Amino acid sequence: MTLIELIHYFKINGNQDEFYKNNSLDLASEVIEIYMEKPFNTKNKIALFEIEKTQGKVEYEVENIKYYNLIDFYYFLDFIEDSKNKNLTNEKLAEILLNYCINDA
């Protein structure tokens, strides 16, 4: 899944619990974090991990693939909620979010 696809899923009222179950994420996790391989790009695959697994590390390696923390899932959900009244494409929203993650977070 890419950041664009994740945005699309939640923009059309995706269910958080269903998403967690479909992606084998622990519903009881304190925080789910969104990670991406470098170089960062809106079309790169993302990975989601529970903070209990990553221990909040900026870099997290799984099966010899290095992922880098972008943002926690709750902030992502707030971003989606705030974007629902804006007339922006999923691609543009992904660009805005990724830019924020890289430069401001």
Side-chain angles (χ1 to χ4, degrees):
M1 169 178 301
T2 66
L3 197 54
I4 294 169
E5 292 166 335
L6 185 66
I7 288 169
H8 176 75
Y9 177 84
F10 280 96
K11 240 176 93 176
I12 58 168
N13 298 318
N15 180 287
Q16 183 178 348
D17 288 346
E18 181 181 304
F19 180 81
Y20 278 26
K21 288 178 187 175
N22 291 341
N23 288 280
S24 302
L25 297 166
D26 184 358
L27 291 167
S29 176
E30 184 178 336
V31 174
I32 301 296
E33 299 176 305
I34 302 173
Y35 281 73
M36 183 183 283
E37 290 181 72
K38 284 187 177 179
F40 295 135
N41 182 299
T42 59
K43 295 178 183 168
N44 283 4
K45 296 289 183 192
I46 58 170
L48 295 102
F49 303 107
E50 297 91 346
I51 197 166
E52 293 82 2
K53 289 182 182 174
T54 67
Q55 300 297 305
K57 294 178 183 173
V58 172
E59 182 182 299
Y60 185 67
E61 188 171 331
V62 176
E63 298 178 3
N64 295 320
I65 299 172
K66 289 184 182 180
Y67 295 97
Y68 297 86
N69 189 312
L70 286 180
I71 197 165
D72 86 43
F73 198 72
Y74 296 118
Y75 181 84
F76 168 80
L77 292 175
D78 287 344
F79 174 82
I80 292 301
E81 191 60 36
D82 290 345
S83 73
K84 285 186 177 177
N85 294 329
K86 297 182 172 108
N87 192 19
L88 299 172
T89 66
N90 296 336
E91 291 79 8
K92 185 63 179 173
L93 289 171
E95 288 173 18
I96 291 167
L97 181 60
L98 187 58
N99 185 50
Y100 171 80
C101 293
I102 293 169
N103 297 309
D104 298 328

mmCIF file of all heavy atoms in Angstrom, residues 47-85:
data_model
loop_
_atom_site.group_PDB
_atom_site.id
_atom_site.type_symbol
_atom_site.label_atom_id
_atom_site.label_comp_id
_atom_site.label_asym_id
_atom_site.label_seq_id
_atom_site.Cartn_x
_atom_site.Cartn_y
_atom_site.Cartn_z
ATOM 1 N N ALA A 47 4.696 0.914 5.372
ATOM 2 C CA ALA A 47 4.510 -0.198 6.289
ATOM 3 C C ALA A 47 4.005 0.376 7.605
ATOM 4 O O ALA A 47 4.376 1.489 7.982
ATOM 5 C CB ALA A 47 5.828 -0.937 6.491
ATOM 6 N N LEU A 48 3.151 -0.360 8.266
ATOM 7 C CA LEU A 48 2.610 0.081 9.545
ATOM 8 C C LEU A 48 3.047 -0.901 10.623
ATOM 9 O O LEU A 48 2.946 -2.114 10.437
ATOM 10 C CB LEU A 48 1.084 0.160 9.472
ATOM 11 C CG LEU A 48 0.596 1.229 8.496
ATOM 12 C CD1 LEU A 48 0.139 0.602 7.208
ATOM 13 C CD2 LEU A 48 -0.486 2.044 9.116
ATOM 14 N N PHE A 49 3.521 -0.346 11.729
ATOM 15 C CA PHE A 49 4.010 -1.161 12.833
ATOM 16 C C PHE A 49 3.493 -0.612 14.156
ATOM 17 O O PHE A 49 3.349 0.606 14.312
ATOM 18 C CB PHE A 49 5.545 -1.156 12.880
ATOM 19 C CG PHE A 49 6.205 -1.628 11.629
ATOM 20 C CD1 PHE A 49 6.836 -0.726 10.792
ATOM 21 C CD2 PHE A 49 6.215 -2.970 11.280
ATOM 22 C CE1 PHE A 49 7.466 -1.138 9.625
ATOM 23 C CE2 PHE A 49 6.835 -3.399 10.106
ATOM 24 C CZ PHE A 49 7.468 -2.482 9.287
ATOM 25 N N GLU A 50 3.285 -1.513 15.085
ATOM 26 C CA GLU A 50 2.925 -1.110 16.430
ATOM 27 C C GLU A 50 4.162 -0.548 17.122
ATOM 28 O O GLU A 50 5.268 -1.051 16.928
ATOM 29 C CB GLU A 50 2.405 -2.303 17.240
ATOM 30 C CG GLU A 50 1.135 -2.936 16.699
ATOM 31 C CD GLU A 50 1.355 -4.066 15.705
ATOM 32 O OE1 GLU A 50 2.496 -4.220 15.195
ATOM 33 O OE2 GLU A 50 0.386 -4.784 15.418
ATOM 34 N N ILE A 51 3.972 0.485 17.934
ATOM 35 C CA ILE A 51 5.093 1.100 18.642
ATOM 36 C C ILE A 51 5.760 0.099 19.588
ATOM 37 O O ILE A 51 6.951 0.202 19.866
ATOM 38 C CB ILE A 51 4.668 2.383 19.385
ATOM 39 C CG1 ILE A 51 5.912 3.196 19.746
ATOM 40 C CG2 ILE A 51 3.800 2.057 20.597
ATOM 41 C CD1 ILE A 51 5.620 4.618 20.170
ATOM 42 N N GLU A 52 5.003 -0.885 20.040
ATOM 43 C CA GLU A 52 5.577 -1.906 20.907
ATOM 44 C C GLU A 52 6.653 -2.720 20.176
ATOM 45 O O GLU A 52 7.578 -3.227 20.799
ATOM 46 C CB GLU A 52 4.477 -2.841 21.436
ATOM 47 C CG GLU A 52 3.497 -2.177 22.386
ATOM 48 C CD GLU A 52 2.367 -1.390 21.694
ATOM 49 O OE1 GLU A 52 2.293 -1.378 20.449
ATOM 50 O OE2 GLU A 52 1.581 -0.784 22.429
ATOM 51 N N LYS A 53 6.545 -2.809 18.844
ATOM 52 C CA LYS A 53 7.562 -3.513 18.051
ATOM 53 C C LYS A 53 8.736 -2.601 17.710
ATOM 54 O O LYS A 53 9.887 -3.018 17.741
ATOM 55 C CB LYS A 53 6.955 -4.049 16.755
ATOM 56 C CG LYS A 53 6.015 -5.204 16.953
ATOM 57 C CD LYS A 53 5.489 -5.698 15.621
ATOM 58 C CE LYS A 53 4.503 -6.834 15.835
ATOM 59 N NZ LYS A 53 3.860 -7.252 14.591
ATOM 60 N N THR A 54 8.441 -1.366 17.348
ATOM 61 C CA THR A 54 9.497 -0.457 16.889
ATOM 62 C C THR A 54 10.204 0.257 18.018
ATOM 63 O O THR A 54 11.280 0.807 17.815
ATOM 64 C CB THR A 54 8.916 0.624 15.949
ATOM 65 O OG1 THR A 54 8.047 1.474 16.701
ATOM 66 C CG2 THR A 54 8.193 0.011 14.762
ATOM 67 N N GLN A 55 9.567 0.280 19.191
ATOM 68 C CA GLN A 55 10.088 1.032 20.337
ATOM 69 C C GLN A 55 10.288 2.513 19.989
ATOM 70 O O GLN A 55 11.128 3.179 20.556
ATOM 71 C CB GLN A 55 11.394 0.417 20.845
ATOM 72 C CG GLN A 55 11.275 -1.024 21.307
ATOM 73 C CD GLN A 55 10.340 -1.150 22.501
ATOM 74 O OE1 GLN A 55 10.529 -0.498 23.508
ATOM 75 N NE2 GLN A 55 9.301 -1.968 22.363
ATOM 76 N N GLY A 56 9.530 3.000 19.004
ATOM 77 C CA GLY A 56 9.594 4.408 18.629
ATOM 78 C C GLY A 56 10.838 4.788 17.841
ATOM 79 O O GLY A 56 11.128 5.976 17.693
ATOM 80 N N LYS A 57 11.543 3.802 17.311
ATOM 81 C CA LYS A 57 12.768 4.092 16.556
ATOM 82 C C LYS A 57 12.451 4.807 15.252
ATOM 83 O O LYS A 57 11.444 4.539 14.603
ATOM 84 C CB LYS A 57 13.510 2.797 16.239
ATOM 85 C CG LYS A 57 14.037 2.090 17.462
ATOM 86 C CD LYS A 57 14.704 0.795 17.081
ATOM 87 C CE LYS A 57 15.164 0.050 18.329
ATOM 88 N NZ LYS A 57 15.664 -1.281 17.999
ATOM 89 N N VAL A 58 13.346 5.700 14.858
ATOM 90 C CA VAL A 58 13.205 6.404 13.587
ATOM 91 C C VAL A 58 13.447 5.439 12.435
ATOM 92 O O VAL A 58 12.760 5.485 11.414
ATOM 93 C CB VAL A 58 14.185 7.599 13.510
ATOM 94 C CG1 VAL A 58 14.181 8.223 12.127
ATOM 95 C CG2 VAL A 58 13.840 8.630 14.564
ATOM 96 N N GLU A 59 14.403 4.545 12.589
ATOM 97 C CA GLU A 59 14.721 3.538 11.576
ATOM 98 C C GLU A 59 14.366 2.169 12.142
ATOM 99 O O GLU A 59 14.737 1.831 13.263
ATOM 100 C CB GLU A 59 16.206 3.584 11.238
ATOM 101 C CG GLU A 59 16.631 2.605 10.170
ATOM 102 C CD GLU A 59 18.133 2.665 9.921
ATOM 103 O OE1 GLU A 59 18.617 3.748 9.521
ATOM 104 O OE2 GLU A 59 18.803 1.645 10.148
ATOM 105 N N TYR A 60 13.640 1.370 11.354
ATOM 106 C CA TYR A 60 13.212 0.047 11.793
ATOM 107 C C TYR A 60 13.416 -0.918 10.632
ATOM 108 O O TYR A 60 12.948 -0.654 9.523
ATOM 109 C CB TYR A 60 11.741 0.085 12.219
ATOM 110 C CG TYR A 60 11.234 -1.194 12.809
ATOM 111 C CD1 TYR A 60 11.712 -1.667 14.028
ATOM 112 C CD2 TYR A 60 10.247 -1.926 12.170
ATOM 113 C CE1 TYR A 60 11.223 -2.832 14.589
ATOM 114 C CE2 TYR A 60 9.751 -3.097 12.715
ATOM 115 C CZ TYR A 60 10.240 -3.543 13.924
ATOM 116 O OH TYR A 60 9.748 -4.707 14.469
ATOM 117 N N GLU A 61 14.109 -2.010 10.889
ATOM 118 C CA GLU A 61 14.445 -2.962 9.827
ATOM 119 C C GLU A 61 13.649 -4.249 9.990
ATOM 120 O O GLU A 61 13.578 -4.819 11.080
ATOM 121 C CB GLU A 61 15.938 -3.270 9.850
ATOM 122 C CG GLU A 61 16.391 -4.101 8.671
ATOM 123 C CD GLU A 61 17.908 -4.217 8.573
ATOM 124 O OE1 GLU A 61 18.620 -3.298 9.021
ATOM 125 O OE2 GLU A 61 18.363 -5.241 8.041
ATOM 126 N N VAL A 62 13.054 -4.697 8.876
ATOM 127 C CA VAL A 62 12.301 -5.941 8.833
ATOM 128 C C VAL A 62 12.702 -6.670 7.559
ATOM 129 O O VAL A 62 12.627 -6.095 6.473
ATOM 130 C CB VAL A 62 10.773 -5.687 8.832
ATOM 131 C CG1 VAL A 62 10.010 -6.994 8.696
ATOM 132 C CG2 VAL A 62 10.349 -4.928 10.066
ATOM 133 N N GLU A 63 13.128 -7.922 7.712
ATOM 134 C CA GLU A 63 13.517 -8.747 6.565
ATOM 135 C C GLU A 63 14.495 -8.019 5.645
ATOM 136 O O GLU A 63 14.313 -7.965 4.435
ATOM 137 C CB GLU A 63 12.276 -9.221 5.808
ATOM 138 C CG GLU A 63 11.367 -10.100 6.649
ATOM 139 C CD GLU A 63 10.101 -10.539 5.935
ATOM 140 O OE1 GLU A 63 9.925 -10.205 4.741
ATOM 141 O OE2 GLU A 63 9.287 -11.212 6.577
ATOM 142 N N ASN A 64 15.511 -7.409 6.245
ATOM 143 C CA ASN A 64 16.575 -6.686 5.543
ATOM 144 C C ASN A 64 16.099 -5.453 4.775
ATOM 145 O O ASN A 64 16.777 -4.968 3.873
ATOM 146 C CB ASN A 64 17.348 -7.615 4.596
ATOM 147 C CG ASN A 64 18.096 -8.672 5.368
ATOM 148 O OD1 ASN A 64 18.675 -8.399 6.418
ATOM 149 N ND2 ASN A 64 18.080 -9.904 4.864
ATOM 150 N N ILE A 65 14.927 -4.955 5.122
ATOM 151 C CA ILE A 65 14.426 -3.716 4.523
ATOM 152 C C ILE A 65 14.393 -2.668 5.620
ATOM 153 O O ILE A 65 13.801 -2.882 6.676
ATOM 154 C CB ILE A 65 13.020 -3.899 3.918
ATOM 155 C CG1 ILE A 65 13.046 -4.952 2.816
ATOM 156 C CG2 ILE A 65 12.501 -2.568 3.371
ATOM 157 C CD1 ILE A 65 11.668 -5.329 2.288
ATOM 158 N N LYS A 66 15.017 -1.515 5.349
ATOM 159 C CA LYS A 66 15.025 -0.418 6.315
ATOM 160 C C LYS A 66 13.861 0.519 6.033
ATOM 161 O O LYS A 66 13.705 1.019 4.922
ATOM 162 C CB LYS A 66 16.341 0.357 6.243
ATOM 163 C CG LYS A 66 17.506 -0.415 6.802
ATOM 164 C CD LYS A 66 18.765 0.420 6.797
ATOM 165 C CE LYS A 66 19.925 -0.404 7.309
ATOM 166 N NZ LYS A 66 21.169 0.358 7.332
ATOM 167 N N TYR A 67 13.069 0.709 7.063
ATOM 168 C CA TYR A 67 11.946 1.629 7.007
ATOM 169 C C TYR A 67 12.233 2.810 7.918
ATOM 170 O O TYR A 67 12.909 2.672 8.927
ATOM 171 C CB TYR A 67 10.654 0.938 7.486
ATOM 172 C CG TYR A 67 10.202 -0.188 6.595
ATOM 173 C CD1 TYR A 67 10.509 -1.507 6.898
ATOM 174 C CD2 TYR A 67 9.441 0.071 5.463
ATOM 175 C CE1 TYR A 67 10.089 -2.546 6.095
ATOM 176 C CE2 TYR A 67 9.015 -0.968 4.644
ATOM 177 C CZ TYR A 67 9.334 -2.277 4.968
ATOM 178 O OH TYR A 67 8.914 -3.298 4.163
ATOM 179 N N TYR A 68 11.665 3.955 7.573
ATOM 180 C CA TYR A 68 11.886 5.179 8.339
ATOM 181 C C TYR A 68 10.531 5.751 8.764
ATOM 182 O O TYR A 68 9.602 5.840 7.960
ATOM 183 C CB TYR A 68 12.676 6.193 7.511
ATOM 184 C CG TYR A 68 14.044 5.664 7.189
ATOM 185 C CD1 TYR A 68 14.254 4.856 6.083
ATOM 186 C CD2 TYR A 68 15.115 5.907 8.044
ATOM 187 C CE1 TYR A 68 15.501 4.318 5.810
ATOM 188 C CE2 TYR A 68 16.365 5.373 7.775
ATOM 189 C CZ TYR A 68 16.551 4.576 6.662
ATOM 190 O OH TYR A 68 17.791 4.041 6.401
ATOM 191 N N ASN A 69 10.458 6.130 10.027
ATOM 192 C CA ASN A 69 9.217 6.615 10.605
ATOM 193 C C ASN A 69 8.781 7.916 9.950
ATOM 194 O O ASN A 69 9.551 8.862 9.851
ATOM 195 C CB ASN A 69 9.413 6.814 12.106
ATOM 196 C CG ASN A 69 8.118 7.100 12.816
ATOM 197 O OD1 ASN A 69 7.335 7.932 12.394
ATOM 198 N ND2 ASN A 69 7.896 6.404 13.913
ATOM 199 N N LEU A 70 7.547 7.938 9.509
ATOM 200 C CA LEU A 70 6.970 9.159 8.946
ATOM 201 C C LEU A 70 6.112 9.880 9.972
ATOM 202 O O LEU A 70 6.303 11.063 10.237
ATOM 203 C CB LEU A 70 6.089 8.838 7.736
ATOM 204 C CG LEU A 70 6.762 8.446 6.446
ATOM 205 C CD1 LEU A 70 5.718 8.170 5.379
ATOM 206 C CD2 LEU A 70 7.706 9.543 5.975
ATOM 207 N N ILE A 71 5.137 9.155 10.523
ATOM 208 C CA ILE A 71 4.126 9.817 11.343
ATOM 209 C C ILE A 71 3.319 8.755 12.083
ATOM 210 O O ILE A 71 3.222 7.624 11.618
ATOM 211 C CB ILE A 71 3.216 10.670 10.426
ATOM 212 C CG1 ILE A 71 2.434 11.682 11.211
ATOM 213 C CG2 ILE A 71 2.344 9.818 9.562
ATOM 214 C CD1 ILE A 71 1.811 12.759 10.341
ATOM 215 N N ASP A 72 2.754 9.148 13.214
ATOM 216 C CA ASP A 72 1.907 8.157 13.880
ATOM 217 C C ASP A 72 0.519 8.166 13.252
ATOM 218 O O ASP A 72 0.086 9.144 12.646
ATOM 219 C CB ASP A 72 1.913 8.326 15.400
ATOM 220 C CG ASP A 72 0.927 9.310 15.975
ATOM 221 O OD1 ASP A 72 -0.231 9.333 15.536
ATOM 222 O OD2 ASP A 72 1.311 10.037 16.902
ATOM 223 N N PHE A 73 -0.139 7.039 13.355
ATOM 224 C CA PHE A 73 -1.398 6.810 12.669
ATOM 225 C C PHE A 73 -2.500 7.760 13.139
ATOM 226 O O PHE A 73 -3.348 8.171 12.358
ATOM 227 C CB PHE A 73 -1.818 5.349 12.863
ATOM 228 C CG PHE A 73 -2.842 4.887 11.883
ATOM 229 C CD1 PHE A 73 -2.502 4.669 10.565
ATOM 230 C CD2 PHE A 73 -4.149 4.679 12.274
ATOM 231 C CE1 PHE A 73 -3.448 4.243 9.642
ATOM 232 C CE2 PHE A 73 -5.101 4.252 11.371
ATOM 233 C CZ PHE A 73 -4.753 4.033 10.057
ATOM 234 N N TYR A 74 -2.490 8.125 14.433
ATOM 235 C CA TYR A 74 -3.523 9.024 14.940
ATOM 236 C C TYR A 74 -3.397 10.408 14.315
ATOM 237 O O TYR A 74 -4.401 11.049 14.008
ATOM 238 C CB TYR A 74 -3.477 9.105 16.473
ATOM 239 C CG TYR A 74 -3.801 7.782 17.112
ATOM 240 C CD1 TYR A 74 -2.873 7.124 17.904
ATOM 241 C CD2 TYR A 74 -5.040 7.171 16.909
ATOM 242 C CE1 TYR A 74 -3.165 5.898 18.482
ATOM 243 C CE2 TYR A 74 -5.345 5.945 17.478
ATOM 244 C CZ TYR A 74 -4.404 5.315 18.264
ATOM 245 O OH TYR A 74 -4.691 4.103 18.822
ATOM 246 N N TYR A 75 -2.166 10.872 14.109
ATOM 247 C CA TYR A 75 -1.997 12.154 13.426
ATOM 248 C C TYR A 75 -2.497 12.027 11.986
ATOM 249 O O TYR A 75 -3.150 12.931 11.465
ATOM 250 C CB TYR A 75 -0.544 12.632 13.439
ATOM 251 C CG TYR A 75 -0.430 13.971 12.737
ATOM 252 C CD1 TYR A 75 -0.684 15.159 13.414
ATOM 253 C CD2 TYR A 75 -0.148 14.041 11.373
ATOM 254 C CE1 TYR A 75 -0.653 16.377 12.760
ATOM 255 C CE2 TYR A 75 -0.122 15.249 10.712
ATOM 256 C CZ TYR A 75 -0.362 16.411 11.402
ATOM 257 O OH TYR A 75 -0.343 17.612 10.745
ATOM 258 N N PHE A 76 -2.198 10.910 11.350
ATOM 259 C CA PHE A 76 -2.675 10.669 9.986
ATOM 260 C C PHE A 76 -4.202 10.768 9.931
ATOM 261 O O PHE A 76 -4.765 11.412 9.041
ATOM 262 C CB PHE A 76 -2.213 9.294 9.482
ATOM 263 C CG PHE A 76 -2.900 8.875 8.218
ATOM 264 C CD1 PHE A 76 -2.486 9.375 6.996
ATOM 265 C CD2 PHE A 76 -3.972 8.006 8.252
ATOM 266 C CE1 PHE A 76 -3.141 9.015 5.817
ATOM 267 C CE2 PHE A 76 -4.634 7.634 7.090
ATOM 268 C CZ PHE A 76 -4.220 8.144 5.872
ATOM 269 N N LEU A 77 -4.880 10.138 10.886
ATOM 270 C CA LEU A 77 -6.340 10.171 10.904
ATOM 271 C C LEU A 77 -6.866 11.594 11.101
ATOM 272 O O LEU A 77 -7.861 11.984 10.480
ATOM 273 C CB LEU A 77 -6.881 9.241 11.987
ATOM 274 C CG LEU A 77 -6.666 7.747 11.731
ATOM 275 C CD1 LEU A 77 -7.138 6.944 12.941
ATOM 276 C CD2 LEU A 77 -7.350 7.285 10.467
ATOM 277 N N ASP A 78 -6.197 12.376 11.942
ATOM 278 C CA ASP A 78 -6.573 13.785 12.113
ATOM 279 C C ASP A 78 -6.394 14.554 10.807
ATOM 280 O O ASP A 78 -7.230 15.382 10.434
ATOM 281 C CB ASP A 78 -5.739 14.449 13.214
ATOM 282 C CG ASP A 78 -6.125 14.001 14.604
ATOM 283 O OD1 ASP A 78 -7.218 13.422 14.786
ATOM 284 O OD2 ASP A 78 -5.312 14.221 15.526
ATOM 285 N N PHE A 79 -5.294 14.284 10.119
ATOM 286 C CA PHE A 79 -5.024 14.928 8.827
ATOM 287 C C PHE A 79 -6.141 14.609 7.838
ATOM 288 O O PHE A 79 -6.642 15.502 7.140
ATOM 289 C CB PHE A 79 -3.662 14.456 8.297
ATOM 290 C CG PHE A 79 -3.354 14.942 6.914
ATOM 291 C CD1 PHE A 79 -2.845 16.217 6.710
ATOM 292 C CD2 PHE A 79 -3.551 14.120 5.810
ATOM 293 C CE1 PHE A 79 -2.564 16.677 5.429
ATOM 294 C CE2 PHE A 79 -3.265 14.570 4.528
ATOM 295 C CZ PHE A 79 -2.768 15.855 4.336
ATOM 296 N N ILE A 80 -6.553 13.347 7.785
ATOM 297 C CA ILE A 80 -7.625 12.941 6.867
ATOM 298 C C ILE A 80 -8.928 13.647 7.232
ATOM 299 O O ILE A 80 -9.634 14.157 6.364
ATOM 300 C CB ILE A 80 -7.809 11.407 6.883
ATOM 301 C CG1 ILE A 80 -6.579 10.728 6.267
ATOM 302 C CG2 ILE A 80 -9.089 10.986 6.156
ATOM 303 C CD1 ILE A 80 -6.281 11.131 4.843
ATOM 304 N N GLU A 81 -9.246 13.683 8.500
ATOM 305 C CA GLU A 81 -10.478 14.346 8.938
ATOM 306 C C GLU A 81 -10.467 15.818 8.540
ATOM 307 O O GLU A 81 -11.461 16.343 8.031
ATOM 308 C CB GLU A 81 -10.650 14.190 10.447
ATOM 309 C CG GLU A 81 -12.003 14.612 10.948
ATOM 310 C CD GLU A 81 -13.151 13.826 10.331
ATOM 311 O OE1 GLU A 81 -13.022 12.616 10.070
ATOM 312 O OE2 GLU A 81 -14.206 14.453 10.086
ATOM 313 N N ASP A 82 -9.338 16.477 8.743
ATOM 314 C CA ASP A 82 -9.219 17.900 8.385
ATOM 315 C C ASP A 82 -9.292 18.127 6.878
ATOM 316 O O ASP A 82 -9.670 19.203 6.424
ATOM 317 C CB ASP A 82 -7.909 18.481 8.918
ATOM 318 C CG ASP A 82 -7.901 18.613 10.426
ATOM 319 O OD1 ASP A 82 -8.976 18.539 11.056
ATOM 320 O OD2 ASP A 82 -6.792 18.788 10.982
ATOM 321 N N SER A 83 -8.917 17.134 6.098
ATOM 322 C CA SER A 83 -8.857 17.302 4.646
ATOM 323 C C SER A 83 -10.182 17.014 3.950
ATOM 324 O O SER A 83 -10.338 17.334 2.771
ATOM 325 C CB SER A 83 -7.781 16.388 4.057
ATOM 326 O OG SER A 83 -8.207 15.034 4.075
ATOM 327 N N LYS A 84 -11.144 16.464 4.656
ATOM 328 C CA LYS A 84 -12.385 16.040 4.011
ATOM 329 C C LYS A 84 -13.171 17.184 3.391
ATOM 330 O O LYS A 84 -13.884 16.986 2.424
ATOM 331 C CB LYS A 84 -13.255 15.253 4.989
ATOM 332 C CG LYS A 84 -12.726 13.854 5.206
ATOM 333 C CD LYS A 84 -13.650 13.022 6.049
ATOM 334 C CE LYS A 84 -13.088 11.609 6.163
ATOM 335 N NZ LYS A 84 -13.925 10.780 7.034
ATOM 336 N N ASN A 85 -13.057 18.368 3.912
ATOM 337 C CA ASN A 85 -13.792 19.513 3.353
ATOM 338 C C ASN A 85 -12.999 20.271 2.306
ATOM 339 O O ASN A 85 -13.477 21.262 1.775
ATOM 340 C CB ASN A 85 -14.209 20.463 4.480
ATOM 341 C CG ASN A 85 -15.211 19.826 5.409
ATOM 342 O OD1 ASN A 85 -16.003 18.995 4.985
ATOM 343 N ND2 ASN A 85 -15.176 20.202 6.667
#
